[in-house]
Amino acid sequence: MTEGSAFYPVFPALKDYSWGSNDPDGAIGDILRKNTEGEIPPGPYAELWYGDHPSGPSLLPDGSNLREQIEREKGHILGSEFADGGKLPYLLKILESQSPLSIQAHPDLDLARRLHDSDPDHYPDANHKPEIAICLRPGFGAMAGFRSANELIAQLKQYPELNDVLPGLQAASNGNARDALKSAFAALYRMPGDSLAAISQKLYQRIQKSPQEGRTGTEIYFLRFCDLYGFEDPGVFSIFLMNLVQFRPGESLFMGAREPHAYLQGSIIECMACSDNVVRGGLTSKFVDVDTLVEMLHYGRGPPDRIEPQHVGGTVRYVPPVSDFQVWTADFDRDSNPLQLPLEIFPAMAVSLSGQVEIQQAQNSFSLQPGRAVLLPRGPAEKDGPFTIFPSGKAKLVISGPGPKQPTNL
């Protein structure tokens, strides 16, 4: 790839995790088809990574990868503000799942550094991983954060079997909800598999006998978890502890440090700090770290955090309370005004989900085709002025970049 360019076309790294979608007409299949002019690999299609993370750096047209290019051109691509860091501060993804992801949480900066120092094989980054999920198509659902104390007590009354796997949770109504929840969560995740199986099978059979049309979302997911992961996985009971949330396109979920969550199904735009640190507890065949998970969680209760989008002209902007990233979506038509990108969002990653746009900067121009992506370096924006996007018809873009300067250890 020529050095000193104003535009770096990139091709995402495809992750084929087992929970990914096998739908060739899904969100990821659609992007891959546009990239390859019709030919796509067999599924599952789990994630597309747009960035320079070593576990899946994006590729450049000449077959090299973006990580290597940034190493050669730190000042030009990252600009004066980010050159010392040596990498993009964010990682943009398109994620699509047909099965639940693991019960997990992400460490803050201090814990990330300690985990990386002690176990770099399982925690490859000395960086935190706050993340935002933005619903891309109808049908995205997740578990996120713990239910309120009143809801937890209601679950125990409705499903008495839970009292055997969540000992002491009844005390959550006596003013010490956090301690009671932590104690019950620890007991659940440390319970022997045969003991868990006896209780989960009992509850499974009782729910199975109920009319299908009357089952709640919580009950439906519990049955599905058991079918997918067996009766000895403590994660099957997490659906009774955590908020079950559904999203419409454009709605978002923000997961800060030490918050439990699991994406259940659907397609999303996902952006995070540049990190792959995940502390897992259940619903997975991957490495789990129950002790770390139990001790790290905040055990806050109530609805999860959502980022209220900012509507600015033709863009919708999601700006979470971290400096690592922000995400814009832009819907254009033939009459849309050009979009001038401010310096703060550079270095920027732009992905065309549909439609074609022209990007101009000084004397340079680039045609962003449907399904394609381009990294816009910060150096030219600092030296020679702004990048401007000119639509020629209907188009939908996702643009990610660094967030406003704020404390990042959240």
Side-chain angles (χ1 to χ4, degrees), residues 81-82 88-90 109 127-128 130 254 271-274 318-327 344-347 378 400-410:
E81 185 170 342
F82 299 101
L88 295 176
Y90 61 87
L109 276 172
N127 193 19
H128 65 171
F254 176 69
C271 197
M272 62 204 65
C274 189
Y318 302 84
V319 185
V322 293
S323 64
D324 306 83
F325 61 89
Q326 59 182 303
V327 180
E344 72 167 29
I345 203 170
F346 287 87
R378 188 179 179 98
S400 63
K405 292 182 181 179
Q406 298 174 23
T408 59
N409 194 11
L410 299 177

mmCIF file of all heavy atoms in Angstrom, residues 81-82 88-90 109 127-128 130 254 271-274 318-327 344-347 378 400-410:
data_model
loop_
_atom_site.group_PDB
_atom_site.id
_atom_site.type_symbol
_atom_site.label_atom_id
_atom_site.label_comp_id
_atom_site.label_asym_id
_atom_site.label_seq_id
_atom_site.Cartn_x
_atom_site.Cartn_y
_atom_site.Cartn_z
ATOM 1 N N GLU A 81 -1.943 13.321 17.769
ATOM 2 C CA GLU A 81 -2.568 12.998 19.058
ATOM 3 C C GLU A 81 -2.456 11.526 19.424
ATOM 4 O O GLU A 81 -2.378 11.178 20.601
ATOM 5 C CB GLU A 81 -4.043 13.407 19.043
ATOM 6 C CG GLU A 81 -4.732 13.215 20.399
ATOM 7 C CD GLU A 81 -6.108 13.846 20.454
ATOM 8 O OE1 GLU A 81 -6.413 14.706 19.604
ATOM 9 O OE2 GLU A 81 -6.870 13.488 21.354
ATOM 10 N N PHE A 82 -2.449 10.630 18.446
ATOM 11 C CA PHE A 82 -2.513 9.200 18.732
ATOM 12 C C PHE A 82 -1.267 8.437 18.312
ATOM 13 O O PHE A 82 -1.187 7.226 18.529
ATOM 14 C CB PHE A 82 -3.743 8.575 18.051
ATOM 15 C CG PHE A 82 -5.049 9.152 18.522
ATOM 16 C CD1 PHE A 82 -5.717 10.095 17.759
ATOM 17 C CD2 PHE A 82 -5.587 8.784 19.742
ATOM 18 C CE1 PHE A 82 -6.905 10.644 18.186
ATOM 19 C CE2 PHE A 82 -6.782 9.329 20.187
ATOM 20 C CZ PHE A 82 -7.443 10.269 19.416
ATOM 21 N N LEU A 88 -4.895 2.227 16.557
ATOM 22 C CA LEU A 88 -6.213 2.833 16.633
ATOM 23 C C LEU A 88 -6.753 2.653 18.048
ATOM 24 O O LEU A 88 -6.614 1.565 18.634
ATOM 25 C CB LEU A 88 -7.171 2.176 15.637
ATOM 26 C CG LEU A 88 -6.855 2.341 14.148
ATOM 27 C CD1 LEU A 88 -7.854 1.536 13.319
ATOM 28 C CD2 LEU A 88 -6.890 3.808 13.734
ATOM 29 N N PRO A 89 -7.388 3.664 18.627
ATOM 30 C CA PRO A 89 -7.900 3.502 19.992
ATOM 31 C C PRO A 89 -9.199 2.705 20.056
ATOM 32 O O PRO A 89 -9.685 2.417 21.150
ATOM 33 C CB PRO A 89 -8.135 4.950 20.440
ATOM 34 C CG PRO A 89 -8.369 5.703 19.178
ATOM 35 C CD PRO A 89 -7.522 5.041 18.122
ATOM 36 N N TYR A 90 -9.759 2.346 18.923
ATOM 37 C CA TYR A 90 -11.061 1.674 18.886
ATOM 38 C C TYR A 90 -10.999 0.481 17.937
ATOM 39 O O TYR A 90 -10.077 0.328 17.123
ATOM 40 C CB TYR A 90 -12.147 2.642 18.399
ATOM 41 C CG TYR A 90 -11.898 3.162 17.003
ATOM 42 C CD1 TYR A 90 -12.346 2.470 15.879
ATOM 43 C CD2 TYR A 90 -11.165 4.333 16.786
ATOM 44 C CE1 TYR A 90 -12.084 2.924 14.590
ATOM 45 C CE2 TYR A 90 -10.910 4.803 15.506
ATOM 46 C CZ TYR A 90 -11.369 4.092 14.415
ATOM 47 O OH TYR A 90 -11.105 4.541 13.143
ATOM 48 N N LEU A 109 -9.379 -0.551 33.334
ATOM 49 C CA LEU A 109 -7.963 -0.470 32.966
ATOM 50 C C LEU A 109 -7.050 -1.143 33.986
ATOM 51 O O LEU A 109 -6.132 -1.887 33.626
ATOM 52 C CB LEU A 109 -7.567 0.998 32.798
ATOM 53 C CG LEU A 109 -7.866 1.639 31.442
ATOM 54 C CD1 LEU A 109 -7.608 3.142 31.502
ATOM 55 C CD2 LEU A 109 -7.015 1.004 30.350
ATOM 56 N N ASN A 127 -5.617 -3.476 28.306
ATOM 57 C CA ASN A 127 -6.528 -2.369 28.021
ATOM 58 C C ASN A 127 -7.943 -2.764 28.406
ATOM 59 O O ASN A 127 -8.317 -3.942 28.337
ATOM 60 C CB ASN A 127 -6.474 -2.004 26.532
ATOM 61 C CG ASN A 127 -7.134 -0.676 26.222
ATOM 62 O OD1 ASN A 127 -7.342 0.150 27.108
ATOM 63 N ND2 ASN A 127 -7.476 -0.456 24.967
ATOM 64 N N HIS A 128 -8.730 -1.773 28.782
ATOM 65 C CA HIS A 128 -10.123 -2.047 29.101
ATOM 66 C C HIS A 128 -10.913 -2.233 27.814
ATOM 67 O O HIS A 128 -10.401 -2.078 26.705
ATOM 68 C CB HIS A 128 -10.708 -0.929 29.963
ATOM 69 C CG HIS A 128 -10.801 0.405 29.276
ATOM 70 N ND1 HIS A 128 -11.463 1.475 29.826
ATOM 71 C CD2 HIS A 128 -10.319 0.864 28.080
ATOM 72 C CE1 HIS A 128 -11.393 2.510 29.006
ATOM 73 N NE2 HIS A 128 -10.707 2.171 27.953
ATOM 74 N N PRO A 130 -14.684 -1.123 27.215
ATOM 75 C CA PRO A 130 -16.062 -0.639 27.150
ATOM 76 C C PRO A 130 -16.560 -0.794 25.719
ATOM 77 O O PRO A 130 -15.769 -0.724 24.767
ATOM 78 C CB PRO A 130 -15.931 0.835 27.549
ATOM 79 C CG PRO A 130 -14.529 1.193 27.162
ATOM 80 C CD PRO A 130 -13.710 -0.040 27.404
ATOM 81 N N PHE A 254 -24.958 0.264 26.067
ATOM 82 C CA PHE A 254 -23.573 0.547 26.422
ATOM 83 C C PHE A 254 -23.167 -0.327 27.594
ATOM 84 O O PHE A 254 -23.845 -0.359 28.627
ATOM 85 C CB PHE A 254 -23.388 2.014 26.787
ATOM 86 C CG PHE A 254 -21.985 2.339 27.254
ATOM 87 C CD1 PHE A 254 -20.921 2.302 26.370
ATOM 88 C CD2 PHE A 254 -21.736 2.657 28.587
ATOM 89 C CE1 PHE A 254 -19.621 2.583 26.792
ATOM 90 C CE2 PHE A 254 -20.451 2.936 29.020
ATOM 91 C CZ PHE A 254 -19.387 2.900 28.120
ATOM 92 N N CYS A 271 -18.876 -1.307 18.654
ATOM 93 C CA CYS A 271 -17.614 -0.586 18.704
ATOM 94 C C CYS A 271 -17.114 -0.595 20.135
ATOM 95 O O CYS A 271 -17.918 -0.538 21.088
ATOM 96 C CB CYS A 271 -17.775 0.848 18.197
ATOM 97 S SG CYS A 271 -16.198 1.651 17.764
ATOM 98 N N MET A 272 -15.804 -0.654 20.297
ATOM 99 C CA MET A 272 -15.216 -0.823 21.623
ATOM 100 C C MET A 272 -13.819 -0.234 21.647
ATOM 101 O O MET A 272 -13.247 0.087 20.598
ATOM 102 C CB MET A 272 -15.130 -2.318 21.949
ATOM 103 C CG MET A 272 -14.242 -3.083 20.994
ATOM 104 S SD MET A 272 -14.648 -4.843 20.926
ATOM 105 C CE MET A 272 -16.296 -4.765 20.240
ATOM 106 N N ALA A 273 -13.283 -0.102 22.846
ATOM 107 C CA ALA A 273 -11.852 0.181 22.954
ATOM 108 C C ALA A 273 -11.089 -0.972 22.324
ATOM 109 O O ALA A 273 -11.574 -2.108 22.282
ATOM 110 C CB ALA A 273 -11.466 0.350 24.425
ATOM 111 N N CYS A 274 -9.911 -0.704 21.833
ATOM 112 C CA CYS A 274 -9.139 -1.724 21.115
ATOM 113 C C CYS A 274 -8.618 -2.762 22.104
ATOM 114 O O CYS A 274 -7.528 -2.626 22.669
ATOM 115 C CB CYS A 274 -7.983 -1.083 20.346
ATOM 116 S SG CYS A 274 -7.153 -2.240 19.241
ATOM 117 N N TYR A 318 -23.575 8.435 18.348
ATOM 118 C CA TYR A 318 -23.584 7.730 19.625
ATOM 119 C C TYR A 318 -22.249 8.038 20.305
ATOM 120 O O TYR A 318 -21.189 7.610 19.840
ATOM 121 C CB TYR A 318 -23.736 6.228 19.406
ATOM 122 C CG TYR A 318 -24.986 5.843 18.652
ATOM 123 C CD1 TYR A 318 -25.021 5.873 17.258
ATOM 124 C CD2 TYR A 318 -26.147 5.456 19.321
ATOM 125 C CE1 TYR A 318 -26.169 5.521 16.558
ATOM 126 C CE2 TYR A 318 -27.297 5.097 18.630
ATOM 127 C CZ TYR A 318 -27.299 5.133 17.249
ATOM 128 O OH TYR A 318 -28.433 4.779 16.546
ATOM 129 N N VAL A 319 -22.319 8.776 21.400
ATOM 130 C CA VAL A 319 -21.102 9.246 22.069
ATOM 131 C C VAL A 319 -21.130 8.745 23.511
ATOM 132 O O VAL A 319 -21.701 9.384 24.406
ATOM 133 C CB VAL A 319 -20.995 10.778 22.022
ATOM 134 C CG1 VAL A 319 -19.667 11.227 22.622
ATOM 135 C CG2 VAL A 319 -21.133 11.288 20.585
ATOM 136 N N PRO A 320 -20.538 7.584 23.787
ATOM 137 C CA PRO A 320 -20.531 7.051 25.148
ATOM 138 C C PRO A 320 -19.558 7.808 26.040
ATOM 139 O O PRO A 320 -18.747 8.607 25.545
ATOM 140 C CB PRO A 320 -20.094 5.601 24.946
ATOM 141 C CG PRO A 320 -19.309 5.616 23.689
ATOM 142 C CD PRO A 320 -19.891 6.690 22.829
ATOM 143 N N PRO A 321 -19.608 7.584 27.348
ATOM 144 C CA PRO A 321 -18.773 8.347 28.284
ATOM 145 C C PRO A 321 -17.339 7.831 28.384
ATOM 146 O O PRO A 321 -16.803 7.639 29.475
ATOM 147 C CB PRO A 321 -19.521 8.178 29.613
ATOM 148 C CG PRO A 321 -20.153 6.833 29.499
ATOM 149 C CD PRO A 321 -20.559 6.701 28.056
ATOM 150 N N VAL A 322 -16.723 7.556 27.248
ATOM 151 C CA VAL A 322 -15.324 7.144 27.192
ATOM 152 C C VAL A 322 -14.663 7.876 26.028
ATOM 153 O O VAL A 322 -15.340 8.287 25.079
ATOM 154 C CB VAL A 322 -15.166 5.615 27.013
ATOM 155 C CG1 VAL A 322 -15.647 4.870 28.242
ATOM 156 C CG2 VAL A 322 -15.920 5.136 25.771
ATOM 157 N N SER A 323 -13.360 8.024 26.068
ATOM 158 C CA SER A 323 -12.664 8.735 25.009
ATOM 159 C C SER A 323 -12.157 7.810 23.907
ATOM 160 O O SER A 323 -11.607 8.273 22.911
ATOM 161 C CB SER A 323 -11.477 9.510 25.591
ATOM 162 O OG SER A 323 -10.521 8.611 26.144
ATOM 163 N N ASP A 324 -12.365 6.502 24.047
ATOM 164 C CA ASP A 324 -11.823 5.549 23.085
ATOM 165 C C ASP A 324 -12.557 5.571 21.750
ATOM 166 O O ASP A 324 -11.944 5.323 20.704
ATOM 167 C CB ASP A 324 -11.892 4.127 23.663
ATOM 168 C CG ASP A 324 -11.234 4.023 25.011
ATOM 169 O OD1 ASP A 324 -11.893 4.347 26.019
ATOM 170 O OD2 ASP A 324 -10.067 3.620 25.065
ATOM 171 N N PHE A 325 -13.858 5.825 21.750
ATOM 172 C CA PHE A 325 -14.602 5.688 20.501
ATOM 173 C C PHE A 325 -15.914 6.456 20.543
ATOM 174 O O PHE A 325 -16.452 6.788 21.605
ATOM 175 C CB PHE A 325 -14.894 4.213 20.200
ATOM 176 C CG PHE A 325 -15.735 3.536 21.254
ATOM 177 C CD1 PHE A 325 -17.127 3.549 21.196
ATOM 178 C CD2 PHE A 325 -15.137 2.877 22.320
ATOM 179 C CE1 PHE A 325 -17.892 2.932 22.175
ATOM 180 C CE2 PHE A 325 -15.902 2.258 23.308
ATOM 181 C CZ PHE A 325 -17.281 2.283 23.230
ATOM 182 N N GLN A 326 -16.421 6.741 19.356
ATOM 183 C CA GLN A 326 -17.783 7.171 19.124
ATOM 184 C C GLN A 326 -18.203 6.565 17.794
ATOM 185 O O GLN A 326 -17.360 6.161 16.983
ATOM 186 C CB GLN A 326 -17.905 8.691 19.092
ATOM 187 C CG GLN A 326 -17.076 9.384 18.033
ATOM 188 C CD GLN A 326 -17.211 10.898 18.090
ATOM 189 O OE1 GLN A 326 -18.307 11.432 17.991
ATOM 190 N NE2 GLN A 326 -16.080 11.587 18.273
ATOM 191 N N VAL A 327 -19.503 6.487 17.561
ATOM 192 C CA VAL A 327 -20.027 5.890 16.335
ATOM 193 C C VAL A 327 -21.084 6.808 15.742
ATOM 194 O O VAL A 327 -21.937 7.327 16.460
ATOM 195 C CB VAL A 327 -20.648 4.495 16.606
ATOM 196 C CG1 VAL A 327 -21.192 3.893 15.311
ATOM 197 C CG2 VAL A 327 -19.628 3.557 17.242
ATOM 198 N N GLU A 344 -12.043 15.741 15.269
ATOM 199 C CA GLU A 344 -12.072 14.894 16.466
ATOM 200 C C GLU A 344 -12.354 13.425 16.157
ATOM 201 O O GLU A 344 -12.011 12.553 16.960
ATOM 202 C CB GLU A 344 -13.123 15.399 17.461
ATOM 203 C CG GLU A 344 -14.555 15.157 17.016
ATOM 204 C CD GLU A 344 -15.566 15.365 18.132
ATOM 205 O OE1 GLU A 344 -15.311 16.178 19.038
ATOM 206 O OE2 GLU A 344 -16.612 14.722 18.087
ATOM 207 N N ILE A 345 -12.973 13.109 15.017
ATOM 208 C CA ILE A 345 -13.341 11.720 14.733
ATOM 209 C C ILE A 345 -12.251 10.983 13.958
ATOM 210 O O ILE A 345 -12.410 9.811 13.609
ATOM 211 C CB ILE A 345 -14.690 11.654 13.991
ATOM 212 C CG1 ILE A 345 -15.354 10.283 14.193
ATOM 213 C CG2 ILE A 345 -14.527 11.972 12.515
ATOM 214 C CD1 ILE A 345 -16.778 10.192 13.715
ATOM 215 N N PHE A 346 -11.111 11.622 13.724
ATOM 216 C CA PHE A 346 -10.013 10.988 12.991
ATOM 217 C C PHE A 346 -8.969 10.435 13.949
ATOM 218 O O PHE A 346 -8.748 11.024 15.020
ATOM 219 C CB PHE A 346 -9.371 11.998 12.039
ATOM 220 C CG PHE A 346 -10.212 12.324 10.848
ATOM 221 C CD1 PHE A 346 -11.158 13.335 10.910
ATOM 222 C CD2 PHE A 346 -10.077 11.606 9.678
ATOM 223 C CE1 PHE A 346 -11.945 13.640 9.820
ATOM 224 C CE2 PHE A 346 -10.856 11.905 8.581
ATOM 225 C CZ PHE A 346 -11.800 12.919 8.643
ATOM 226 N N PRO A 347 -8.316 9.309 13.553
ATOM 227 C CA PRO A 347 -8.501 8.525 12.348
ATOM 228 C C PRO A 347 -9.860 7.826 12.348
ATOM 229 O O PRO A 347 -10.254 7.230 13.358
ATOM 230 C CB PRO A 347 -7.358 7.506 12.399
ATOM 231 C CG PRO A 347 -7.031 7.398 13.867
ATOM 232 C CD PRO A 347 -7.281 8.750 14.445
ATOM 233 N N ARG A 378 -5.627 10.579 10.044
ATOM 234 C CA ARG A 378 -5.741 11.866 10.735
ATOM 235 C C ARG A 378 -4.742 12.900 10.206
ATOM 236 O O ARG A 378 -5.021 14.105 10.212
ATOM 237 C CB ARG A 378 -5.540 11.661 12.240
ATOM 238 C CG ARG A 378 -5.837 12.909 13.077
ATOM 239 C CD ARG A 378 -5.651 12.622 14.552
ATOM 240 N NE ARG A 378 -5.910 13.809 15.362
ATOM 241 C CZ ARG A 378 -7.051 14.074 15.983
ATOM 242 N NH1 ARG A 378 -8.069 13.233 15.859
ATOM 243 N NH2 ARG A 378 -7.199 15.168 16.703
ATOM 244 N N SER A 400 -16.792 5.287 12.523
ATOM 245 C CA SER A 400 -16.300 5.235 13.905
ATOM 246 C C SER A 400 -15.002 6.000 14.003
ATOM 247 O O SER A 400 -14.260 6.156 13.029
ATOM 248 C CB SER A 400 -16.097 3.788 14.361
ATOM 249 O OG SER A 400 -15.105 3.156 13.575
ATOM 250 N N GLY A 401 -14.734 6.483 15.191
ATOM 251 C CA GLY A 401 -13.501 7.200 15.444
ATOM 252 C C GLY A 401 -13.311 7.389 16.933
ATOM 253 O O GLY A 401 -14.135 6.937 17.745
ATOM 254 N N PRO A 402 -12.230 8.046 17.346
ATOM 255 C CA PRO A 402 -12.019 8.309 18.777
ATOM 256 C C PRO A 402 -13.159 9.149 19.345
ATOM 257 O O PRO A 402 -13.786 9.934 18.635
ATOM 258 C CB PRO A 402 -10.699 9.083 18.796
ATOM 259 C CG PRO A 402 -10.069 8.822 17.473
ATOM 260 C CD PRO A 402 -11.179 8.603 16.505
ATOM 261 N N GLY A 403 -13.398 8.977 20.626
ATOM 262 C CA GLY A 403 -14.402 9.788 21.291
ATOM 263 C C GLY A 403 -13.830 11.094 21.797
ATOM 264 O O GLY A 403 -12.610 11.314 21.758
ATOM 265 N N PRO A 404 -14.695 11.969 22.264
ATOM 266 C CA PRO A 404 -14.218 13.220 22.869
ATOM 267 C C PRO A 404 -13.313 12.919 24.050
ATOM 268 O O PRO A 404 -13.416 11.880 24.694
ATOM 269 C CB PRO A 404 -15.502 13.906 23.302
ATOM 270 C CG PRO A 404 -16.585 13.289 22.496
ATOM 271 C CD PRO A 404 -16.158 11.878 22.259
ATOM 272 N N LYS A 405 -12.416 13.837 24.361
ATOM 273 C CA LYS A 405 -11.479 13.627 25.464
ATOM 274 C C LYS A 405 -12.213 13.606 26.793
ATOM 275 O O LYS A 405 -12.798 14.599 27.218
ATOM 276 C CB LYS A 405 -10.424 14.730 25.475
ATOM 277 C CG LYS A 405 -9.476 14.689 24.287
ATOM 278 C CD LYS A 405 -8.432 15.793 24.396
ATOM 279 C CE LYS A 405 -7.498 15.778 23.214
ATOM 280 N NZ LYS A 405 -6.496 16.851 23.283
ATOM 281 N N GLN A 406 -12.184 12.463 27.443
ATOM 282 C CA GLN A 406 -12.821 12.277 28.746
ATOM 283 C C GLN A 406 -12.025 11.223 29.490
ATOM 284 O O GLN A 406 -11.270 10.474 28.878
ATOM 285 C CB GLN A 406 -14.273 11.830 28.588
ATOM 286 C CG GLN A 406 -15.180 12.811 27.883
ATOM 287 C CD GLN A 406 -16.563 12.221 27.644
ATOM 288 O OE1 GLN A 406 -16.986 11.312 28.318
ATOM 289 N NE2 GLN A 406 -17.249 12.748 26.657
ATOM 290 N N PRO A 407 -12.216 11.083 30.806
ATOM 291 C CA PRO A 407 -11.566 9.989 31.506
ATOM 292 C C PRO A 407 -11.991 8.657 30.901
ATOM 293 O O PRO A 407 -13.156 8.457 30.579
ATOM 294 C CB PRO A 407 -12.072 10.132 32.949
ATOM 295 C CG PRO A 407 -12.444 11.580 33.062
ATOM 296 C CD PRO A 407 -12.954 11.976 31.720
ATOM 297 N N THR A 408 -11.046 7.726 30.715
ATOM 298 C CA THR A 408 -11.346 6.472 30.037
ATOM 299 C C THR A 408 -11.513 5.299 30.995
ATOM 300 O O THR A 408 -11.932 4.228 30.584
ATOM 301 C CB THR A 408 -10.243 6.119 29.037
ATOM 302 O OG1 THR A 408 -8.995 5.999 29.736
ATOM 303 C CG2 THR A 408 -10.111 7.192 27.974
ATOM 304 N N ASN A 409 -11.160 5.410 32.247
ATOM 305 C CA ASN A 409 -11.209 4.265 33.159
ATOM 306 C C ASN A 409 -12.594 4.144 33.770
ATOM 307 O O ASN A 409 -12.800 4.375 34.958
ATOM 308 C CB ASN A 409 -10.132 4.409 34.243
ATOM 309 C CG ASN A 409 -9.918 3.108 34.984
ATOM 310 O OD1 ASN A 409 -10.423 2.054 34.560
ATOM 311 N ND2 ASN A 409 -9.178 3.165 36.068
ATOM 312 N N LEU A 410 -13.572 3.800 32.929
ATOM 313 C CA LEU A 410 -14.962 3.684 33.372
ATOM 314 C C LEU A 410 -15.427 2.248 33.286
ATOM 315 O O LEU A 410 -14.952 1.502 32.480
ATOM 316 C CB LEU A 410 -15.861 4.571 32.506
ATOM 317 C CG LEU A 410 -15.550 6.078 32.534
ATOM 318 C CD1 LEU A 410 -16.480 6.808 31.579
ATOM 319 C CD2 LEU A 410 -15.716 6.634 33.935
#
